[in-house]
Amino acid sequence: MPSGDATLPGVDDERPDQIVLHVDMDCFYAACERLREPQLRGEPLVVGMGYEPGDDIGAVATASYEAREYGVESAMAISEALDRLPRLDEDAADPDESAGYYRPVDLDFYQSVAAEVKAILHDCADTVREVSIDEAYLDVTDRTAWEVAEGFGRHVKNRIEREVGVVASVGVAPTLSAAKVASDYDKPDGLVVIEPGEVAEFFAPLSVEEVHGVGPVTARTLRELGIETAGDLAAADPHELVDRFGDRGRELYDRARGADTREVTPTGDPKSLSRESAFADAVEDPERKREQVRALAEAVATRAQSKGALYRTIGVKAVTPPYDVNTRERSLPGPIDDADLVEEIALELIAEFDDDRVRKVGVRVSNLSFPAGEQARLGGWDQETERDDSEAAGGQVESSADDPDRSALADDRSGQSSLTDF
Ligand code: TTP
Ligand code: MG
Protein backbone atom coordinates (compact mmCIF):
# COMPACT_ATOMS: atom_id res chain seq x y z
CA MET A 1 0.00 0.00 0.00
CA PRO A 2 1.51 3.39 -0.95
CA SER A 3 2.69 5.39 2.04
CA GLY A 4 0.59 8.42 1.12
CA ASP A 5 -2.66 6.55 1.63
CA ALA A 6 -3.18 7.56 5.20
CA THR A 7 -3.29 11.19 4.19
CA LEU A 8 -5.66 10.72 1.27
CA PRO A 9 -8.80 12.73 1.71
CA GLY A 10 -11.88 10.58 2.08
CA VAL A 11 -14.38 10.68 -0.71
CA ASP A 12 -17.69 11.58 0.78
CA ASP A 13 -19.41 12.00 -2.54
CA GLU A 14 -19.09 8.38 -3.54
CA ARG A 15 -22.40 6.62 -3.98
CA PRO A 16 -22.18 3.38 -2.03
CA ASP A 17 -25.87 2.83 -2.64
CA GLN A 18 -25.27 2.53 -6.37
CA ILE A 19 -23.67 -0.35 -8.27
CA VAL A 20 -22.49 0.67 -11.73
CA LEU A 21 -21.20 -1.78 -14.30
CA HIS A 22 -19.22 -0.49 -17.27
CA VAL A 23 -18.75 -2.65 -20.33
CA ASP A 24 -16.20 -1.95 -23.06
CA MET A 25 -15.61 -4.52 -25.79
CA ASP A 26 -12.02 -5.58 -26.48
CA CYS A 27 -10.60 -4.42 -29.85
CA PHE A 28 -14.17 -4.34 -30.98
CA TYR A 29 -13.98 -3.99 -34.76
CA ALA A 30 -11.23 -6.62 -34.87
CA ALA A 31 -13.32 -8.93 -32.69
CA CYS A 32 -16.22 -8.54 -35.14
CA GLU A 33 -13.98 -9.41 -38.09
CA ARG A 34 -12.87 -12.52 -36.25
CA LEU A 35 -16.48 -13.62 -35.89
CA ARG A 36 -16.86 -14.04 -39.60
CA GLU A 37 -13.24 -15.01 -40.27
CA PRO A 38 -12.29 -17.32 -37.41
CA GLN A 39 -8.85 -17.89 -38.93
CA LEU A 40 -8.01 -14.32 -37.80
CA ARG A 41 -8.24 -15.32 -34.13
CA GLY A 42 -4.95 -15.01 -32.30
CA GLU A 43 -3.40 -13.21 -35.29
CA PRO A 44 -2.21 -9.61 -35.58
CA LEU A 45 -5.14 -7.83 -37.25
CA VAL A 46 -5.57 -4.18 -38.22
CA VAL A 47 -8.94 -2.69 -39.18
CA GLY A 48 -8.52 0.45 -41.28
CA MET A 49 -10.86 3.37 -41.82
CA GLY A 50 -10.70 4.67 -45.39
CA TYR A 51 -8.54 1.67 -46.11
CA GLU A 52 -8.79 -0.33 -49.32
CA PRO A 53 -7.39 -3.86 -49.47
CA GLY A 54 -3.87 -3.79 -50.82
CA ASP A 55 -3.56 -0.01 -50.43
CA ASP A 56 -1.69 2.08 -47.86
CA ILE A 57 -4.19 4.91 -47.33
CA GLY A 58 -6.52 5.49 -44.36
CA ALA A 59 -6.12 5.30 -40.60
CA VAL A 60 -6.20 2.52 -38.05
CA ALA A 61 -9.67 2.19 -36.45
CA THR A 62 -8.46 -0.55 -34.18
CA ALA A 63 -5.77 -3.17 -33.90
CA SER A 64 -5.98 -6.59 -32.28
CA TYR A 65 -3.90 -6.96 -29.13
CA GLU A 66 -1.44 -9.07 -31.14
CA ALA A 67 -1.02 -6.16 -33.60
CA ARG A 68 -0.62 -3.70 -30.73
CA GLU A 69 2.52 -5.63 -29.75
CA TYR A 70 4.05 -4.25 -32.95
CA GLY A 71 3.23 -0.70 -31.91
CA VAL A 72 0.11 -0.33 -34.07
CA GLU A 73 -2.47 1.99 -32.43
CA SER A 74 -5.89 3.46 -33.14
CA ALA A 75 -5.80 6.63 -35.27
CA MET A 76 -2.33 5.84 -36.66
CA ALA A 77 -1.90 6.25 -40.43
CA ILE A 78 -2.15 2.91 -42.22
CA SER A 79 1.16 3.71 -43.90
CA GLU A 80 2.83 3.90 -40.49
CA ALA A 81 1.06 0.77 -39.30
CA LEU A 82 2.42 -1.02 -42.37
CA ASP A 83 5.93 0.10 -41.43
CA ARG A 84 5.52 -1.48 -38.01
CA LEU A 85 3.53 -4.51 -39.07
CA PRO A 86 3.86 -5.46 -42.73
CA ARG A 87 0.80 -6.80 -44.52
CA LEU A 88 0.65 -10.54 -44.75
CA ASP A 89 0.60 -12.01 -48.23
CA GLU A 90 -2.45 -14.15 -47.66
CA ASP A 91 -1.92 -16.10 -50.88
CA ALA A 92 1.67 -17.01 -50.11
CA ALA A 93 2.37 -20.66 -49.49
CA ASP A 94 4.69 -19.82 -46.61
CA PRO A 95 3.27 -16.74 -44.77
CA ASP A 96 5.63 -14.34 -43.03
CA GLU A 97 5.46 -14.83 -39.25
CA SER A 98 5.92 -11.16 -38.41
CA ALA A 99 3.24 -9.82 -40.75
CA GLY A 100 -0.42 -9.07 -40.05
CA TYR A 101 -3.86 -9.09 -41.57
CA TYR A 102 -5.48 -5.84 -42.72
CA ARG A 103 -9.22 -5.38 -43.21
CA PRO A 104 -11.38 -2.35 -44.13
CA VAL A 105 -14.05 -1.09 -41.69
CA ASP A 106 -17.54 -2.54 -42.19
CA LEU A 107 -19.63 -0.47 -39.82
CA ASP A 108 -22.99 -2.05 -40.70
CA PHE A 109 -21.70 -5.43 -39.65
CA TYR A 110 -20.17 -4.08 -36.42
CA GLN A 111 -23.44 -2.35 -35.61
CA SER A 112 -25.35 -5.58 -35.99
CA VAL A 113 -22.94 -7.29 -33.57
CA ALA A 114 -23.21 -4.33 -31.17
CA ALA A 115 -27.01 -4.62 -31.25
CA GLU A 116 -26.76 -8.23 -30.05
CA VAL A 117 -24.44 -7.18 -27.23
CA LYS A 118 -26.72 -4.30 -26.23
CA ALA A 119 -29.74 -6.61 -26.13
CA ILE A 120 -27.92 -8.73 -23.54
CA LEU A 121 -27.00 -5.63 -21.55
CA HIS A 122 -30.64 -4.52 -21.49
CA ASP A 123 -31.52 -7.96 -20.26
CA CYS A 124 -28.95 -7.67 -17.44
CA ALA A 125 -30.11 -4.23 -16.20
CA ASP A 126 -33.17 -2.01 -16.29
CA THR A 127 -31.12 1.15 -16.79
CA VAL A 128 -28.54 1.11 -19.55
CA ARG A 129 -26.68 4.09 -20.92
CA GLU A 130 -25.18 3.29 -24.29
CA VAL A 131 -22.17 5.54 -24.79
CA SER A 132 -20.71 4.31 -28.06
CA ILE A 133 -20.84 1.32 -30.36
CA ASP A 134 -18.86 -0.82 -27.91
CA GLU A 135 -19.38 0.80 -24.54
CA ALA A 136 -22.21 1.14 -22.00
CA TYR A 137 -22.97 1.83 -18.35
CA LEU A 138 -25.48 -0.32 -16.49
CA ASP A 139 -27.13 0.49 -13.19
CA VAL A 140 -27.20 -2.96 -11.58
CA THR A 141 -28.02 -1.84 -8.04
CA ASP A 142 -31.25 -3.82 -8.04
CA ARG A 143 -29.75 -6.88 -9.69
CA THR A 144 -26.81 -7.65 -7.44
CA ALA A 145 -25.06 -6.78 -4.15
CA TRP A 146 -21.46 -5.86 -3.41
CA GLU A 147 -20.75 -9.30 -1.90
CA VAL A 148 -21.55 -10.98 -5.23
CA ALA A 149 -20.82 -8.15 -7.66
CA GLU A 150 -17.84 -9.93 -9.19
CA GLY A 151 -19.98 -12.96 -9.97
CA PHE A 152 -22.56 -10.72 -11.57
CA GLY A 153 -19.90 -9.02 -13.69
CA ARG A 154 -18.67 -12.44 -14.77
CA HIS A 155 -22.19 -13.45 -15.67
CA VAL A 156 -22.55 -10.42 -17.98
CA LYS A 157 -19.14 -11.09 -19.56
CA ASN A 158 -19.89 -14.78 -20.05
CA ARG A 159 -23.26 -14.14 -21.63
CA ILE A 160 -21.71 -11.76 -24.18
CA GLU A 161 -18.96 -14.20 -25.05
CA ARG A 162 -21.21 -17.25 -25.20
CA GLU A 163 -24.13 -15.67 -27.06
CA VAL A 164 -22.33 -13.24 -29.37
CA GLY A 165 -18.77 -14.57 -29.50
CA VAL A 166 -16.92 -11.34 -28.67
CA VAL A 167 -15.04 -10.51 -25.47
CA ALA A 168 -15.88 -7.63 -23.13
CA SER A 169 -13.93 -6.05 -20.32
CA VAL A 170 -16.12 -5.21 -17.36
CA GLY A 171 -15.70 -2.84 -14.44
CA VAL A 172 -17.96 -2.63 -11.41
CA ALA A 173 -17.81 0.33 -9.02
CA PRO A 174 -19.97 2.73 -7.02
CA THR A 175 -19.49 5.58 -9.54
CA LEU A 176 -19.53 5.88 -13.32
CA SER A 177 -15.97 7.18 -13.58
CA ALA A 178 -14.57 4.46 -11.33
CA ALA A 179 -16.48 1.78 -13.27
CA LYS A 180 -14.90 3.08 -16.47
CA VAL A 181 -11.41 3.04 -14.99
CA ALA A 182 -12.09 -0.46 -13.68
CA SER A 183 -13.13 -1.88 -17.07
CA ASP A 184 -9.99 -0.43 -18.63
CA TYR A 185 -7.66 -1.55 -15.86
CA ASP A 186 -7.16 -5.17 -16.85
CA LYS A 187 -7.94 -5.16 -20.57
CA PRO A 188 -8.33 -7.38 -22.52
CA ASP A 189 -10.76 -9.87 -20.96
CA GLY A 190 -10.75 -7.86 -17.74
CA LEU A 191 -13.09 -8.01 -14.80
CA VAL A 192 -12.32 -5.55 -12.00
CA VAL A 193 -14.51 -4.63 -9.04
CA ILE A 194 -13.85 -1.50 -6.99
CA GLU A 195 -15.94 -1.59 -3.84
CA PRO A 196 -17.37 1.44 -2.04
CA GLY A 197 -14.70 3.09 0.07
CA GLU A 198 -11.91 1.81 -2.19
CA VAL A 199 -12.25 4.29 -5.05
CA ALA A 200 -9.70 6.87 -3.85
CA GLU A 201 -7.21 4.13 -2.99
CA PHE A 202 -7.70 2.51 -6.38
CA PHE A 203 -7.20 5.80 -8.20
CA ALA A 204 -4.16 6.87 -6.15
CA PRO A 205 -1.36 5.06 -8.04
CA LEU A 206 -2.77 5.80 -11.51
CA SER A 207 -0.84 8.34 -13.54
CA VAL A 208 -2.49 11.78 -13.82
CA GLU A 209 -3.26 11.11 -17.50
CA GLU A 210 -5.77 8.51 -16.36
CA VAL A 211 -7.81 11.22 -14.68
CA HIS A 212 -10.55 12.18 -17.07
CA GLY A 213 -9.92 15.66 -18.49
CA VAL A 214 -6.14 15.55 -18.08
CA GLY A 215 -4.48 15.70 -21.50
CA PRO A 216 -0.76 15.76 -22.28
CA VAL A 217 -0.46 19.54 -21.75
CA THR A 218 -2.17 19.56 -18.35
CA ALA A 219 -0.18 16.47 -17.37
CA ARG A 220 3.07 18.30 -18.13
CA THR A 221 2.03 21.30 -16.05
CA LEU A 222 0.97 19.03 -13.20
CA ARG A 223 4.32 17.23 -13.35
CA GLU A 224 6.08 20.58 -13.05
CA LEU A 225 4.14 21.01 -9.82
CA GLY A 226 5.36 17.60 -8.65
CA ILE A 227 1.99 15.96 -9.28
CA GLU A 228 2.59 12.61 -11.01
CA THR A 229 -0.28 10.40 -9.92
CA ALA A 230 -3.99 10.72 -9.31
CA GLY A 231 -3.12 10.28 -5.63
CA ASP A 232 -0.78 13.29 -5.76
CA LEU A 233 -3.56 15.28 -7.41
CA ALA A 234 -6.09 14.15 -4.83
CA ALA A 235 -3.71 15.18 -2.02
CA ALA A 236 -2.82 18.53 -3.61
CA ASP A 237 -4.08 21.81 -2.22
CA PRO A 238 -7.29 22.51 -4.16
CA HIS A 239 -6.76 26.26 -3.80
CA GLU A 240 -3.42 26.02 -5.54
CA LEU A 241 -5.03 24.02 -8.33
CA VAL A 242 -7.72 26.66 -8.72
CA ASP A 243 -5.06 29.38 -8.81
CA ARG A 244 -3.29 27.50 -11.57
CA PHE A 245 -6.19 26.12 -13.64
CA GLY A 246 -9.24 28.13 -12.57
CA ASP A 247 -12.49 26.20 -11.98
CA ARG A 248 -11.06 23.30 -13.91
CA GLY A 249 -8.52 22.83 -11.14
CA ARG A 250 -11.25 22.04 -8.67
CA GLU A 251 -12.87 19.68 -11.16
CA LEU A 252 -9.65 17.77 -11.75
CA TYR A 253 -9.09 17.56 -8.00
CA ASP A 254 -12.55 16.09 -7.48
CA ARG A 255 -12.10 13.63 -10.33
CA ALA A 256 -8.75 12.47 -8.99
CA ARG A 257 -10.45 11.72 -5.69
CA GLY A 258 -13.01 9.65 -7.55
CA ALA A 259 -15.80 12.01 -6.55
CA ASP A 260 -18.68 11.49 -8.93
CA THR A 261 -22.32 11.80 -7.95
CA ARG A 262 -23.83 11.00 -11.34
CA GLU A 263 -26.46 8.34 -11.79
CA VAL A 264 -26.72 6.10 -14.82
CA THR A 265 -29.29 7.83 -16.97
CA PRO A 266 -30.73 5.73 -19.76
CA THR A 267 -30.30 6.49 -23.43
CA GLY A 268 -33.27 6.28 -25.69
CA ASP A 269 -36.68 7.87 -25.61
CA PRO A 270 -37.77 9.40 -22.34
CA LYS A 271 -40.88 7.87 -20.81
CA SER A 272 -42.23 11.19 -19.68
CA LEU A 273 -41.44 14.88 -19.73
CA SER A 274 -42.06 17.03 -16.72
CA ARG A 275 -41.45 20.36 -15.10
CA GLU A 276 -41.91 21.24 -11.48
CA SER A 277 -41.38 24.24 -9.35
CA ALA A 278 -41.21 24.79 -5.61
CA PHE A 279 -42.68 27.73 -3.71
CA ALA A 280 -40.49 29.45 -1.14
CA ASP A 281 -43.21 28.71 1.44
CA ALA A 282 -46.25 26.48 1.21
CA VAL A 283 -49.01 28.26 -0.71
CA GLU A 284 -52.75 28.04 -0.16
CA ASP A 285 -53.99 30.70 -2.62
CA PRO A 286 -55.53 28.69 -5.53
CA GLU A 287 -54.76 31.42 -8.07
CA ARG A 288 -51.03 31.29 -7.30
CA LYS A 289 -51.03 27.53 -7.78
CA ARG A 290 -52.92 27.92 -11.06
CA GLU A 291 -50.52 30.57 -12.28
CA GLN A 292 -47.58 28.25 -11.65
CA VAL A 293 -49.31 25.28 -13.26
CA ARG A 294 -50.07 27.37 -16.38
CA ALA A 295 -46.39 28.28 -16.75
CA LEU A 296 -45.26 24.68 -16.19
CA ALA A 297 -47.88 23.33 -18.63
CA GLU A 298 -46.62 25.66 -21.29
CA ALA A 299 -42.98 24.73 -20.62
CA VAL A 300 -43.73 21.00 -20.79
CA ALA A 301 -45.79 21.32 -23.99
CA THR A 302 -43.04 23.37 -25.63
CA ARG A 303 -40.43 20.83 -24.67
CA ALA A 304 -42.52 17.94 -25.96
CA GLN A 305 -42.91 19.79 -29.22
CA SER A 306 -39.18 20.47 -29.51
CA LYS A 307 -38.56 16.74 -29.08
CA GLY A 308 -41.23 15.78 -31.58
CA ALA A 309 -43.11 13.94 -28.82
CA LEU A 310 -46.84 13.24 -28.75
CA TYR A 311 -48.43 12.40 -25.38
CA ARG A 312 -51.53 10.56 -24.32
CA THR A 313 -51.46 11.21 -20.59
CA ILE A 314 -51.32 14.53 -18.76
CA GLY A 315 -50.65 14.70 -15.06
CA VAL A 316 -49.97 17.04 -12.19
CA LYS A 317 -48.14 16.72 -8.94
CA ALA A 318 -48.82 18.61 -5.72
CA VAL A 319 -46.45 18.25 -2.81
CA THR A 320 -48.13 19.04 0.49
CA PRO A 321 -46.35 19.49 3.84
CA PRO A 322 -44.51 17.82 5.32
CA TYR A 323 -43.52 16.00 2.14
CA ASP A 324 -46.49 14.14 0.71
CA VAL A 325 -46.31 13.69 -3.02
CA ASN A 326 -49.70 13.53 -4.66
CA THR A 327 -50.05 12.81 -8.35
CA ARG A 328 -53.17 12.88 -10.53
CA GLU A 329 -53.38 12.13 -14.20
CA ARG A 330 -55.80 11.74 -17.06
CA SER A 331 -55.38 9.77 -20.25
CA LEU A 332 -56.79 10.76 -23.62
CA PRO A 333 -58.14 8.49 -26.33
CA GLY A 334 -55.19 9.13 -28.63
CA PRO A 335 -51.76 10.83 -28.75
CA ILE A 336 -51.78 14.62 -29.07
CA ASP A 337 -49.56 17.67 -29.24
CA ASP A 338 -51.76 20.44 -27.85
CA ALA A 339 -50.43 23.01 -25.38
CA ASP A 340 -53.91 24.40 -24.61
CA LEU A 341 -55.20 20.99 -23.68
CA VAL A 342 -52.21 20.34 -21.40
CA GLU A 343 -53.01 23.57 -19.58
CA GLU A 344 -56.73 22.90 -19.41
CA ILE A 345 -56.38 19.38 -18.03
CA ALA A 346 -53.55 20.33 -15.65
CA LEU A 347 -55.71 23.14 -14.22
CA GLU A 348 -58.68 20.78 -13.77
CA LEU A 349 -56.50 18.24 -11.99
CA ILE A 350 -54.81 20.76 -9.70
CA ALA A 351 -58.24 22.10 -8.62
CA GLU A 352 -58.51 19.13 -6.26
CA PHE A 353 -55.77 20.78 -4.19
CA ASP A 354 -57.40 24.24 -4.12
CA ASP A 355 -57.84 24.13 -0.35
CA ASP A 356 -54.51 22.52 0.46
CA ARG A 357 -51.25 24.14 1.38
CA VAL A 358 -48.86 23.17 -1.40
CA ARG A 359 -45.08 23.53 -1.44
CA LYS A 360 -44.44 22.33 -4.93
CA VAL A 361 -46.39 21.77 -8.13
CA GLY A 362 -45.46 19.89 -11.27
CA VAL A 363 -46.88 19.08 -14.68
CA ARG A 364 -46.05 15.96 -16.64
CA VAL A 365 -46.92 14.44 -19.97
CA SER A 366 -46.38 10.71 -20.44
CA ASN A 367 -47.33 7.79 -22.65
CA LEU A 368 -45.07 9.40 -25.21
CA SER A 369 -44.68 8.52 -28.85
CA PHE A 370 -42.18 9.88 -31.35
CA PRO A 371 -43.77 9.57 -34.77
CA ALA A 372 -41.07 11.46 -36.67
CA GLY A 373 -38.28 9.22 -35.37
CA GLU A 374 -34.81 10.06 -34.12
CA GLN A 375 -34.14 13.16 -36.18
CA ALA A 376 -36.91 15.32 -34.75
CA ARG A 377 -35.58 15.01 -31.24
CA LEU A 378 -31.99 15.92 -31.78
CA GLY A 379 -32.61 19.65 -31.66
CA GLY A 380 -34.09 19.32 -28.19
CA TRP A 381 -30.98 18.28 -26.35
CA ASP A 382 -28.97 21.48 -26.01
CA GLN A 383 -31.82 23.65 -25.01
CA GLU A 384 -33.00 21.08 -22.57
CA THR A 385 -29.61 20.41 -21.06
CA GLU A 386 -29.10 24.07 -20.34
CA ARG A 387 -32.41 24.50 -18.64
CA ASP A 388 -32.25 21.25 -16.80
CA ASP A 389 -28.78 21.87 -15.47
CA SER A 390 -29.92 25.03 -13.80
CA GLU A 391 -32.87 23.23 -12.33
CA ALA A 392 -30.81 20.29 -11.11
CA ALA A 393 -28.42 22.73 -9.45
CA GLY A 394 -31.31 23.88 -7.29
CA GLY A 395 -31.51 20.40 -5.83
CA GLN A 396 -35.23 20.17 -6.37
CA VAL A 397 -35.31 16.54 -7.37
CA GLU A 398 -37.21 14.34 -5.00
CA SER A 399 -37.98 10.71 -4.91
CA SER A 400 -41.40 9.39 -4.16
CA ALA A 401 -43.09 6.06 -4.16
CA ASP A 402 -45.99 7.19 -6.29
CA ASP A 403 -43.81 8.70 -8.96
CA PRO A 404 -42.77 5.66 -10.94
CA ASP A 405 -41.09 7.63 -13.68
CA ARG A 406 -38.53 9.23 -11.45
CA SER A 407 -35.70 7.66 -13.41
CA ALA A 408 -37.13 9.12 -16.58
CA LEU A 409 -37.40 12.49 -14.85
CA ALA A 410 -33.79 12.25 -13.79
CA ASP A 411 -32.84 11.44 -17.36
CA ASP A 412 -34.57 14.56 -18.55
CA ARG A 413 -32.67 16.62 -16.08
CA SER A 414 -29.14 15.47 -16.62
CA GLY A 415 -29.22 15.35 -20.38
CA GLN A 416 -26.68 13.86 -22.71
CA SER A 417 -23.86 16.12 -21.70
CA SER A 418 -23.56 14.64 -18.23
CA LEU A 419 -21.57 11.69 -19.51
CA THR A 420 -19.69 13.06 -22.42
CA ASP A 421 -18.58 16.20 -20.60
CA PHE A 422 -17.29 14.52 -17.53
P1 TTP B 1 -12.35 1.51 -28.25
O1 TTP B 1 -13.20 0.82 -27.23
O2 TTP B 1 -11.66 2.76 -27.87
O3 TTP B 1 -11.22 0.52 -28.75
P2 TTP B 1 -11.28 -1.02 -29.00
O4 TTP B 1 -12.58 -1.62 -28.61
O5 TTP B 1 -10.88 -1.29 -30.42
O6 TTP B 1 -10.10 -1.57 -28.10
P3 TTP B 1 -10.09 -1.71 -26.51
O7 TTP B 1 -9.89 -3.17 -26.28
O8 TTP B 1 -8.92 -0.89 -26.09
O9 TTP B 1 -11.38 -1.20 -25.98
O10 TTP B 1 -13.20 1.81 -29.53
C1 TTP B 1 -14.21 0.94 -30.01
C2 TTP B 1 -14.20 0.88 -31.52
O11 TTP B 1 -14.32 2.20 -32.06
C3 TTP B 1 -12.91 0.34 -32.09
O12 TTP B 1 -12.93 -1.08 -32.21
C4 TTP B 1 -12.81 1.00 -33.42
C5 TTP B 1 -13.54 2.33 -33.22
N1 TTP B 1 -12.52 3.41 -33.11
C6 TTP B 1 -12.19 4.15 -34.24
O13 TTP B 1 -12.76 3.92 -35.31
N2 TTP B 1 -11.23 5.11 -34.14
C7 TTP B 1 -10.57 5.38 -32.98
O14 TTP B 1 -9.68 6.26 -32.95
C8 TTP B 1 -10.92 4.63 -31.82
C9 TTP B 1 -10.22 4.89 -30.50
C10 TTP B 1 -11.90 3.66 -31.92
MG1 MG C 1 -13.43 -1.15 -26.73
Side-chain angles (χ1 to χ4, degrees), residues 115-137:
E116 287 180 51
V117 174
K118 301 279 163 78
I120 293 172
L121 300 184
H122 283 275
D123 204 33
C124 293
D126 298 322
T127 307
V128 177
R129 176 156 207 99
E130 299 176 13
V131 183
S132 75
I133 190 166
D134 87 326
E135 189 186 342
Y137 292 91

Side-chain angles (χ1 to χ4, degrees), residues 376-387:
R377 298 200 302 284
L378 291 177
W381 272 123
D382 292 347
Q383 184 196 344
E384 186 196 350
T385 303
E386 243 171 59
R387 252 184 13 198

Side-chain angles (χ1 to χ4, degrees), residues 24-32 47 49 59-65 68 73-76 105 107 110 132-135 167 169 180 183-184 187-189:
D24 189 305
M25 310 306 297
D26 296 335
C27 59
F28 184 57
Y29 292 4
C32 294
V47 180
M49 220 171 345
V60 175
T62 195
S64 72
Y65 280 78
R68 292 179 199 191
E73 297 171 356
S74 290
M76 181 180 273
V105 162
L107 203 55
Y110 310 151
S132 75
I133 190 166
D134 87 326
E135 189 186 342
V167 177
S169 287
K180 185 169 169 71
S183 74
D184 200 42
K187 250 181 183 299
D189 201 13

Side-chain angles (χ1 to χ4, degrees), residues 82-416:
L82 284 165
D83 286 344
R84 298 182 181 208
L85 174 69
R87 183 170 27 220
L88 190 85
D89 179 357
E90 295 184 35
D91 298 325
D94 188 12
D96 181 350
E97 284 283 301
S98 60
Y101 293 84
Y102 283 73
R103 293 288 180 270
V105 162
D106 177 356
L107 203 55
D108 286 345
F109 176 57
Y110 310 151
Q111 252 147 5
S112 71
V113 178
E116 287 180 51
V117 174
K118 301 279 163 78
I120 293 172
L121 300 184
H122 283 275
D123 204 33
C124 293
D126 298 322
T127 307
V128 177
R129 176 156 207 99
E130 299 176 13
V131 183
S132 75
I133 190 166
D134 87 326
E135 189 186 342
Y137 292 91
L138 281 60
D139 184 336
V140 295
T141 315
D142 298 336
R143 300 285 184 108
T144 185
W146 283 112
E147 296 72 33
V148 290
E150 185 174 340
F152 187 85
R154 188 166 304 285
H155 162 75
V156 175
K157 253 177 87 65
N158 287 349
R159 271 199 67 183
I160 296 171
E161 192 165 356
R162 202 175 56 236
E163 296 175 33
V164 190
V166 289
V167 177
S169 287
V170 166
V172 185
T175 67
L176 279 81
S177 43
K180 185 169 169 71
V181 169
S183 74
D184 200 42
Y185 191 76
D186 198 22
K187 250 181 183 299
D189 201 13
L191 171 60
V192 172
V193 178
I194 309 177
E195 296 209 9
E198 293 179 351
V199 175
E201 193 183 328
F202 192 93
F203 275 34
L206 304 178
S207 100
V208 277
E209 277 98 345
E210 306 277 328
V211 177
H212 198 103
V214 177
V217 177
T218 309
R220 206 174 316 128
T221 316
L222 288 169
R223 290 224 158 80
E224 281 163 20
L225 299 171
I227 297 171
E228 305 263 348
T229 63
D232 296 339
L233 187 53
D237 177 357
H239 300 108
E240 251 172 57
L241 294 168
V242 170
D243 284 347
R244 190 72 188 228
F245 299 101
D247 287 346
R248 229 182 112 232
R250 176 79 215 186
E251 217 168 72
L252 295 177
Y253 170 77
D254 284 339
R255 287 175 185 177
R257 293 163 61 239
D260 180 1
T261 55
R262 292 171 301 160
E263 293 174 21
V264 180
T265 53
T267 29
D269 293 334
K271 293 195 168 51
S272 67
L273 297 168
S274 69
R275 273 283 171 268
E276 55 189 54
S277 157
F279 298 109
D281 295 304
V283 160
E284 200 171 324
D285 178 6
E287 187 44 44
R288 278 193 63 199
K289 292 175 214 157
R290 276 199 288 274
E291 200 180 300
Q292 198 64 263
V293 165
R294 270 188 214 106
L296 295 169
E298 189 189 337
V300 168
T302 304
R303 189 146 56 112
Q305 196 165 48
S306 78
K307 285 175 154 289
L310 300 181
Y311 31 89
R312 217 164 68 71
T313 301
I314 295 163
V316 297
K317 171 194 233 175
V319 180
T320 51
Y323 222 83
D324 296 326
V325 181
N326 308 280
T327 56
R328 300 289 181 270
E329 60 180 35
R330 185 175 305 163
S331 289
L332 304 158
I336 58 150
D337 162 22
D338 184 338
D340 291 340
L341 200 55
V342 176
E343 179 181 313
E344 189 184 318
I345 292 176
L347 286 173
E348 281 174 30
L349 293 170
I350 206 74
E352 184 182 332
F353 303 94
D354 270 357
D355 300 330
D356 292 310
R357 293 176 63 235
V358 169
R359 28 187 311 170
K360 183 186 273 188
V361 288
V363 175
R364 178 169 75 167
V365 293
S366 54
N367 252 323
L368 303 184
S369 50
F370 296 89
E374 195 69 26
Q375 222 38 42
R377 298 200 302 284
L378 291 177
W381 272 123
D382 292 347
Q383 184 196 344
E384 186 196 350
T385 303
E386 243 171 59
R387 252 184 13 198
D388 290 341
D389 280 349
S390 61
E391 187 171 290
Q396 303 283 350
V397 185
E398 73 213 12
S399 83
S400 64
D402 63 347
D403 198 355
D405 266 339
R406 201 178 89 75
S407 59
L409 295 175
D411 188 27
D412 278 6
R413 284 198 167 84
S414 54
Q416 181 102 28

